[in-house]
Amino acid sequence: MDFALIIALMPGVLASALRFATPIAIGAYSGVLCERAAVINIAIEGMMLVAAMVGDLVMLYTGNIWLGVIGGMLASGLLAILHGVLCINFKTDQIISGTVINIFAIGITGFAYRRFLATPTLTRPIPSTLQPIHIPFLAQIPILGDVLFQNRPIVYIMLILTFVLQYVLFKTPWGLRTRAVGEHPLAADTLGIDVYKVRHINVFLGGLVAGLGGVWFSLEQVGHFDMLMTNGKGFIGLAAMIFGKWTPVGSFIAALIFGLPEAIQITMNFYFPHVPYQFLSMIPYVLTMIVLAGVVGQAIPPAADGQPYDKQ
Amino acid sequence: MTKPPALEARGITKAFPGVLANDHVDLRLAQGEIHALLGENGAGKTTLMNILYGLYQQDEGQVFIGGQEVDIHSPNEAIAHGIGMVHQHFMLIPVMTVAENIMLGVEPRTARSRWLGFIGQLDYRRVESRVRELSSQHSLEVDPTALVQTLSVGAQQRVEIMKALYRQARILILDEPTAVLTPQESEELFQIMRSLAERGTSIIFITHKLKEVFAVADRITVMRNGQVVGSTTPEQATEQQLASMMVGREVLLRLSKAPAHPKEAVLSLENLSVNDDRGQKAVREVTLRVRAGEILGIAGVQGNGQTELVEALTGLRPIALGQVRIGEKTLKETSPRQIMEQGVGHIPEDRQKRGLVLRYSVEDNLVLCTYYQRPFAKGLIIQHEAIEENARRLIEEFDIRTPSARTPAGTLSGGNQQKVIVARELSRPIKLLIAAQPTRGLDVGSIEFLHRRLIEQRDAGYAVLLVSAELDEILALSDRIAVMYKGEIIDTLPAEQATREEIGLLMAGVGGHKTSPARQPVEVN
């Protein structure tokens, strides 16, 4: 292999790694928000899928991509409210509730796709994806500029979200209460903290965030909705959350590790077609399994994770 | 004019389905007073406190604070009225620092970020300096930067008290605060309580330990079956009187016990080491002998390896090093069932997790160890008549109060659950009984029953290994006392030579000579 070629390909690979890491990281943040408040959300995948579909639908009917983004996020937030009510108020098994939402998402998006999106009567705006924003001056920095400052909007939002969430979770009253509710809800309750309220708000915010990850697929990456286009990224997001030890910054790094092989695969396909691409496309999923099997250090979840709280 | 009481409850009534938990309860807490609320489990003490703290609403009755009638609907409102509560099970978050635990719910934000509201920046420095201030003011030693999970139980309790003081509590409710403390730690707590009371804090002190009432209380109110049965002062009352008030009948506080006549060793441990869940050594080279016809008491603060020791002896945890012999047989990779069949009875520490299957009926729980043997099974078939007959006999013999033999064990009171376990273990042929914290959480009446039963077993020639964190229980029952500290038996004493103070110090790790193979303590017969 040509060493110079690899060097030349580096910025491109890193930029696309960041791009592929985006939905994974956002999925992980959604998980962090929910699980720090002790609600397990395996429905992130389904929420993303619904958001991707609704986002395309709203864009199609309004002709505005950003309205599509908002519509997708709200749809996902609505599912999160459902998940919250089931898990927090009705104390349904959280895995079951999540599974139900995932199955529902596959059904509803498949239906909507065939009914409205596969052969639309309206035309999508051109372009139908969110366009890259070159940040003045910073985009000119060699390598770093290519990787960080010539991205599409949701990538930037993801980067900002990493630090905002890290700050909110660990430096603010809201974060302290969220973590308290996730670790020892009864203790929080005896100090006058409304456990249900904290959990509901976190799950709803988690839903909005998952929705942002969902519209990345339809409105930033592809330009329209495809069946099952989220392709398990919500689940990989959960693996990244665990890998990142339930912290936003950790999840971001983990998401990059998951995103990198995908970026390499695309480049490899192009320049080294004789290597079977299936091997590289396996890597994120294999990594997920390894992480979830607990090989990468012991990750300790919030103590009350997954347990409903019974108010006296 | 006299000052109005800090807190007064009048005619508090609270019913739960099927129970009248509080029946017209009156309580008067004077300013700066330490008021002991004494009663058995289920007497209604905790219900009353939960009403005062806003966790429950009373059906009837009024609460006055400083002479003003108040309605308390939530812990928030209780806190606003200056009521602080230290719960029996600490309400602390182990992975957070002391400062974070203290500020939770009343978080100060830095001046710059206050406008951000809930997402302003936490002002750690302000909390820490305030905690240090309160700390020196009340001589309450608390390090605000420490992680709670690294603190001792006593220190965690000080954090709980600090939490209340930080919220400017003038009325402090302590729910069974000494249950988890060593005698020395309890004494320190009493000093803290006295110094708080001198500075004007009024304290309600819930307990069922009579000695503590005399050590610290200014006034005593006794509750039984949801009612206040009397109010008195330590000067006017005697232990015997208070015990009778609590139970509603005469109670033997100290059981008479004939001298032991120990025979051959039934259980011998040689340099036994056991690891805990994290692979750390929890039991270190313990050498012990329990003989037929004696009660060996293992004293120690919880978490010093007693749990792991008992688990190893009952086959629930592997032995890391050393030897365990029951009778003539050496245990090696033995299953719990094989150990049971060697004649070992086990009253586990956690009766709800390990002692019973809560959803099974009383009669099924009574044959959990023997269901596969005749007469309860013939081949693969369970013999229901035999199980029913067995239940009838044991319910009668052990006075288990249950609506029927088919009632799920989980619905019985703690004392009756324990009786089910004791009945099961004693109804099969055993020669060694291992009783771990057998009276934890039980009321005076059930404790008396259990203690009597353990002594009877000893007199009948059983070897009894009693593990307890209750020093009084150890002193009342044991023939020999071994003190466990950080996984080691640091001393073994004959009971008649042991004093409370000496054992208390040993439990805190002070003094003692380690039992080593080279220097066995002299066994007194």
Side-chain angles (χ1 to χ4, degrees), chain B residues 451-477:
Chain B
H451 284 180
R452 205 147 20 97
R453 205 67 218 207
L454 288 178
I455 292 175
E456 279 170 29
Q457 295 311 311
R458 179 200 74 166
D459 293 341
Y462 291 54
V464 179
L465 178 67
L466 168 73
V467 178
S468 177
E470 298 283 349
L471 194 40
D472 288 323
E473 178 164 274
I474 294 279
L475 287 168
L477 295 180

Side-chain angles (χ1 to χ4, degrees), chain A residues 36 164 167-181 183-194 197 300 303 309 311-312, chain B residues 50 53 55-56 75-76 79 87 90-96 100-101 103-109 113 116-122 124 163 167:
Chain A
R36 279 288 179 177
V164 170
Y167 162 79
V168 169
L169 263 180
F170 295 102
K171 300 282 178 215
T172 70
W174 180 258
L176 188 68
R177 289 174 186 204
T178 298
R179 288 182 291 133
V181 160
E183 291 286 340
H184 195 338
L186 186 57
D189 197 10
T190 58
L191 294 174
I193 291 167
D194 188 338
K197 190 169 112 189
I300 301 158
Y309 178 64
K311 226 170 149 56
Q312 279 147 337
Chain B
N50 283 341
Y53 196 61
L55 290 166
Y56 298 152
N76 257 343
I79 293 164
H87 298 262
F90 295 154
M91 294 296 167
L92 296 173
I93 297 157
V95 297
M96 291 188 183
E100 286 175 321
N101 269 284
M103 71 170 127
L104 184 60
V106 288
E107 306 87 350
R109 278 144 286 165
S113 69
L116 282 167
F118 278 126
I119 54 165
Q121 196 176 1
L122 293 171
Y124 281 90
K163 254 163 81 176
R167 287 166 174 73

Side-chain angles (χ1 to χ4, degrees), chain A residues 140-186:
Chain A
Q140 260 78 74
I141 305 170
I143 302 180
L144 204 62
D146 297 328
V147 177
L148 283 180
F149 300 112
Q150 302 181 9
N151 285 299
R152 292 169 194 259
I154 295 179
V155 176
Y156 292 123
I157 297 175
M158 179 273 288
L159 289 172
I160 295 165
L161 210 51
T162 314
F163 298 101
V164 170
L165 286 179
Q166 188 79 19
Y167 162 79
V168 169
L169 263 180
F170 295 102
K171 300 282 178 215
T172 70
W174 180 258
L176 188 68
R177 289 174 186 204
T178 298
R179 288 182 291 133
V181 160
E183 291 286 340
H184 195 338
L186 186 57

Side-chain angles (χ1 to χ4, degrees), chain A:
Chain A
M1 260 183 246
D2 191 341
F3 191 67
L5 178 64
I6 290 175
I7 294 290
L9 292 176
M10 272 276 282
V13 170
L14 288 179
S16 56
L18 188 63
R19 190 151 40 91
F20 288 121
T22 298
I24 298 171
I26 293 177
Y29 303 160
S30 171
V32 169
L33 278 167
C34 297
E35 292 204 14
R36 279 288 179 177
V39 178
I40 292 177
N41 186 359
I42 64 158
I44 292 169
E45 175 76 11
M47 291 177 185
M48 281 184 167
L49 195 61
V50 167
M53 180 274 286
V54 172
D56 188 18
L57 208 60
V58 172
M59 173 179 75
L60 196 63
Y61 283 91
T62 62
N64 186 315
I65 303 184
W66 281 104
L67 283 180
V69 170
I70 292 166
M73 287 175 70
L74 287 178
S76 169
L78 219 59
L79 282 180
I81 292 175
L82 174 69
H83 185 60
V85 170
L86 285 176
C87 296
I88 299 163
N89 299 96
F90 294 106
K91 302 174 180 61
T92 314
D93 187 293
Q94 304 182 357
I95 304 296
I96 302 293
S97 167
T99 306
V100 166
I101 291 174
N102 281 334
I103 294 170
F104 166 78
I106 294 171
I108 190 82
T109 54
F111 166 76
Y113 177 74
R114 279 188 295 268
R115 180 78 179 73
F116 304 108
L117 299 170
T119 49
T121 47
L122 297 161
T123 50
R124 294 188 172 84
I126 298 169
S128 66
T129 55
L130 297 165
Q131 292 303 300
I133 299 168
H134 291 249
I135 296 185
F137 310 114
L138 293 176
Q140 260 78 74
I141 305 170
I143 302 180
L144 204 62
D146 297 328
V147 177
L148 283 180
F149 300 112
Q150 302 181 9
N151 285 299
R152 292 169 194 259
I154 295 179
V155 176
Y156 292 123
I157 297 175
M158 179 273 288
L159 289 172
I160 295 165
L161 210 51
T162 314
F163 298 101
V164 170
L165 286 179
Q166 188 79 19
Y167 162 79
V168 169
L169 263 180
F170 295 102
K171 300 282 178 215
T172 70
W174 180 258
L176 188 68
R177 289 174 186 204
T178 298
R179 288 182 291 133
V181 160
E183 291 286 340
H184 195 338
L186 186 57
D189 197 10
T190 58
L191 294 174
I193 291 167
D194 188 338
V195 176
Y196 286 6
K197 190 169 112 189
V198 172
R199 288 190 176 174
H200 273 299
I201 293 176
N202 271 285
V203 171
F204 176 64
L205 291 176
L208 292 183
V209 168
L212 182 69
V215 295
W216 176 88
F217 291 92
S218 56
L219 304 182
E220 179 158 300
Q221 183 71 0
V222 178
H224 60 85
F225 176 77
D226 277 327
M227 295 253 273
L228 305 180
M229 76 188 307
T230 49
N231 204 15
K233 290 297 187 304
F235 290 114
I236 298 182
L238 281 179
M241 169 195 76
I242 295 170
F243 200 2
K245 299 200 156 65
W246 285 265
T247 65
V249 168
S251 303
F252 170 69
I253 293 166
L256 276 183
I257 294 171
F258 286 124
L260 193 61
E262 212 168 337
I264 293 174
Q265 175 220 324
I266 295 214
T267 320
M268 292 268 288
N269 276 347
F270 197 75
Y271 290 96
F272 311 100
H274 53 278
V275 181
Y277 72 92
Q278 287 89 344
F279 281 101
L280 279 159
S281 28
M282 272 183 345
I283 292 176
Y285 303 93
V286 171
L287 266 180
T288 305
M289 283 193 281
I290 293 172
V291 169
L292 291 182
V295 174
V296 186
Q298 205 197 353
I300 301 158
D305 206 3
Q307 295 165 15
Y309 178 64
D310 253 317
K311 226 170 149 56
Q312 279 147 337

